[in-house]
Amino acid sequence: MAYSWFKAFHLVGIVVWFAGLFYLVRLFIYHVEANEEPEPARTILKKQYQVMEQRLYSIITTPGMLVTVAMAIGLLTTEPQVLKEPWLHVKLLFVVLLIGYHHYCKRLMKQLAEDQCAWGSQQLRALNEAPTVMLVVIVLLAVFKNNLPTDITAWGIVGLVIAMAATIQLYAKKRRRDKEAALSQQS
């Protein structure tokens, strides 16, 4: 029975953590793009994004990460033999990378607050794809374990994920060009 409780709250933690990570970097993008706005809008927007980023990180994202990790430890205590499985070692590697990403977001948040962030909105959009890739890998490992499919269907799904990421990037590029064109027409 403990296993089911740990698993249920592990999944809840994952959903909360990833929701926070996805939205946090989106706020970073808006924060950086606020620099293009005239005063006083620039200052007002940057202050608002800073508050939103801090609250999201502290109240949603970090607790989601802590619940995820705590429940994972609970799961491992109920089934310690799974620690010998190679798929879990790879999954844990990606979880460690994800935790590193989480803390790197905190660093970017501090840089944005101090107007020291060197990242542009396009770079942040690309950075925002990292947790998606990690989520896909982690879920596939959790579901398929040591039997991760490598057939044409699996590669098709990988291709779809890559195509989705490329489409998002192309759309962002188009929006940026349209905005630049509109600004040049106003001049």
Side-chain angles (χ1 to χ4, degrees):
M1 187 60 132
Y3 178 85
S4 295
W5 282 104
F6 288 137
K7 189 171 187 176
F9 283 99
H10 181 66
L11 292 171
V12 169
I14 290 168
V15 170
V16 170
W17 187 18
F18 274 92
L21 288 176
F22 292 147
Y23 190 50
L24 185 63
V25 179
R26 176 54 56 186
L27 287 174
F28 293 168
I29 293 165
Y30 298 150
H31 194 140
V32 166
E33 289 177 348
N35 286 323
E36 300 168 10
E37 297 296 324
E39 286 297 347
R42 177 185 313 138
T43 301
I44 293 167
L45 287 169
K46 288 172 75 171
K47 283 182 182 178
Q48 184 61 42
Y49 290 135
Q50 189 175 342
V51 168
M52 293 168 70
E53 292 158 3
Q54 184 61 45
R55 288 180 181 165
L56 178 63
Y57 188 87
S58 301
I59 299 171
I60 296 172
T61 312
T62 298
M65 177 189 68
L66 295 174
V67 168
T68 300
V69 171
M71 295 302 106
I73 292 168
L75 285 167
L76 292 173
T77 61
T78 63
E79 291 190 353
Q81 70 279 4
V82 77
L83 283 168
K84 298 175 185 171
E85 297 290 331
W87 69 269
L88 184 63
H89 299 163
V90 177
K91 179 185 173 193
L92 291 175
L93 171 68
F94 277 93
V95 171
V96 167
L97 291 172
L98 192 61
I99 291 169
Y101 178 90
H102 176 100
H103 290 292
Y104 186 71
C105 285
K106 175 71 169 183
R107 182 174 172 210
L108 284 176
M109 193 168 64
K110 287 180 181 179
Q111 290 175 357
L112 284 164
E114 298 167 357
D115 277 331
Q116 301 288 323
C117 184
W119 288 70
S121 63
Q122 282 302 108
Q123 293 167 313
L124 289 168
R125 280 185 174 82
L127 180 69
N128 203 26
E129 301 304 322
T132 304
V133 172
M134 288 188 262
L135 176 64
V136 169
V137 171
I138 290 168
V139 168
L140 289 175
L141 287 165
V143 170
F144 292 105
K145 301 185 179 4
N146 290 323
N147 299 313
L148 191 64
T150 55
D151 60 4
I152 191 71
T153 305
W155 287 110
I157 292 170
V158 169
L160 282 173
V161 170
I162 292 169
M164 286 174 26
T167 302
I168 291 167
Q169 292 299 318
L170 290 171
Y171 177 70
K173 194 174 198 177
K174 180 190 177 310
R175 282 186 48 214
R176 190 180 78 244
R177 282 189 198 157
D178 291 347
K179 187 176 181 180
E180 289 170 359
L183 287 173
S184 68
Q185 287 177 351
Q186 290 176 356
S187 302

